[in-house]
Amino acid sequence: MRGPPGRSRGSIETRTAPIWRALADATRRRILDLLLERPRITGEIAAEFRISRIAVMRHLQALSDAGLIVSRKRGRERRYYVNAIALQQINRRWFDPLAAGWVSGILRLRRRVEARELGVERDAPSLDIAFDVRIGGSPAAVFYALVTDPGGWWGHPMLRPQATGLTLEPRLGGLFVEHWERGGAVLAAVTQLATDRHLELTGPFHLGLGLGVASFDLAVDSDGTLLQFSFRAFGPIDPDSARQFSEGWRELLTRRLKTLVEQGVRLGIASRARTRLKQPSERRKRTDG
């Protein structure tokens, strides 16, 4: 005969209660469906409903208070993102966390960080980076470089000294792996993906006990593509690491990725030109011909 629920079950009940209250409303569930497709600004979300913009903003606030979504303001626009870690807390209540895959590991890492009581505010990032990059190439070309050829633009100082290469599996749950001569390390996993429009990577990124979320949003710009990038990290991060990540991301995207797309010059760890993979448009042309 089973005894009363343990402390861990009560703890899960307490943590997930606000999430259940937020999900009880059909409009909020529909908002989450929209954000699962891709991040959206307030106006885009409001346009999907017949209720007032103020009512939509109240629903967004309820979802934010429950930790189900996070947002970032750029100029006059606020963009909203799904917080997959909060959703995973519901999954964990009834399912084996090992079966839930990579996000379960992320959730366990976050709980360990919080358990150490390191003074980090629960949902406030320790590191918050955001900037835009204009790249002379189509969104399809930029996305192709991001997910198919990371070694052409990603490199030191964002890698371990012993790193010899990189691979990224362009699918939900796919791993972003740093390879060593006799091993390697998982940098992140693909937690959101919309071909030619959006990529989100979530993982340790060599942050130690920290957890990072990198988001890449692509849109057509007058000169090619506007890449809107953000990187949020949670957990204990020392000032030197914070500075390194801030400078490193700018180097990777504003110079190396931009140079790869615009000039075909490889400044990443895989600096040697490899056999170029055919992009989808080229394969279609060959087939049609």
Side-chain angles (χ1 to χ4, degrees):
M1 181 175 178
R2 292 187 177 181
R7 180 181 300 178
S8 60
R9 177 63 61 190
S11 177
I12 292 175
E13 181 71 37
T14 301
R15 287 200 308 270
T16 59
I19 298 175
W20 288 117
R21 287 194 293 269
L23 292 175
D25 186 276
T27 299
R28 294 171 196 157
R29 295 195 296 270
R30 173 58 180 151
I31 290 174
L32 283 178
D33 288 337
L34 292 170
L35 296 181
L36 281 171
E37 295 175 0
R38 60 180 174 85
R40 298 172 189 258
I41 62 175
T42 309
E44 289 179 298
I45 299 170
E48 298 288 333
F49 300 93
R50 295 184 178 180
I51 59 178
S52 69
R53 184 185 178 100
I54 292 177
V56 170
M57 292 180 68
R58 288 173 179 166
H59 285 301
L60 289 169
Q61 187 60 53
L63 290 169
S64 179
D65 291 343
L68 288 166
I69 63 174
V70 294
S71 65
R72 174 183 298 283
K73 188 173 183 180
R74 285 186 174 176
R76 296 182 179 180
E77 295 182 344
R78 182 172 292 277
R79 189 175 298 270
Y80 292 88
Y81 306 80
V82 169
N83 182 5
I85 295 177
L87 290 174
Q88 180 65 11
Q89 294 186 47
I90 299 175
N91 183 73
R92 179 173 171 76
R93 180 166 181 169
W94 287 284
F95 297 94
D96 181 356
L98 292 177
W102 179 251
V103 178
S104 288
I106 293 173
L107 182 59
R108 291 195 296 273
L109 174 61
R110 178 171 175 172
R111 285 199 307 275
R112 287 199 298 270
V113 172
E114 291 175 344
R116 290 176 177 269
E117 298 181 349
L118 293 170
V120 178
E121 186 179 347
R122 179 175 176 82
D123 291 314
S126 305
L127 181 60
D128 196 350
I129 303 168
F131 56 85
D132 297 345
V133 186
R134 285 180 166 78
I135 300 177
S138 68
V142 177
F143 188 84
Y144 183 82
L146 278 172
V147 303
T148 306
D149 191 12
W153 59 276
W154 188 292
H156 300 291
M158 303 290 279
L159 296 173
R160 293 279 176 85
Q162 66 267 37
T164 58
L166 290 164
T167 56
L168 173 61
E169 299 172 304
R171 60 178 178 81
L172 285 175
L175 298 183
F176 185 28
V177 179
E178 172 188 298
H179 297 283
W180 307 337
E181 185 176 350
R182 295 185 179 182
V186 173
L187 295 176
V190 178
T191 45
Q192 289 188 25
L193 181 72
T195 303
D196 298 342
R197 292 185 302 171
H198 176 65
L199 172 67
E200 181 185 84
L201 301 173
T202 304
F205 287 102
H206 293 320
L207 286 168
L209 288 175
L211 173 70
V213 181
S215 180
F216 308 79
D217 289 291
L218 309 178
V220 176
D221 184 65
S222 58
D223 296 324
T225 298
L226 174 64
L227 167 60
Q228 293 183 307
F229 172 77
S230 68
F231 181 74
R232 292 163 289 138
F234 302 83
I237 301 174
D238 63 80
D240 288 339
S241 294
R243 182 173 60 256
Q244 177 177 313
F245 269 82
S246 181
E247 295 173 354
W249 277 117
R250 288 187 178 276
E251 165 67 16
L252 292 181
L253 300 180
T254 64
R255 191 172 80 91
R256 300 186 194 181
L257 177 64
K258 182 178 174 70
T259 300
L260 177 62
V261 175
E262 294 180 348
Q263 304 175 31
V265 177
R266 308 168 61 81
L267 301 176
I269 188 171
S271 57
R272 294 183 179 179
R274 64 176 188 174
T275 302
R276 193 172 68 91
L277 299 178
K278 296 181 178 63
Q279 297 192 31
S281 59
E282 293 178 315
R283 291 199 294 267
R284 285 196 298 271
K285 290 178 182 178
R286 185 175 293 275
T287 301
D288 294 342

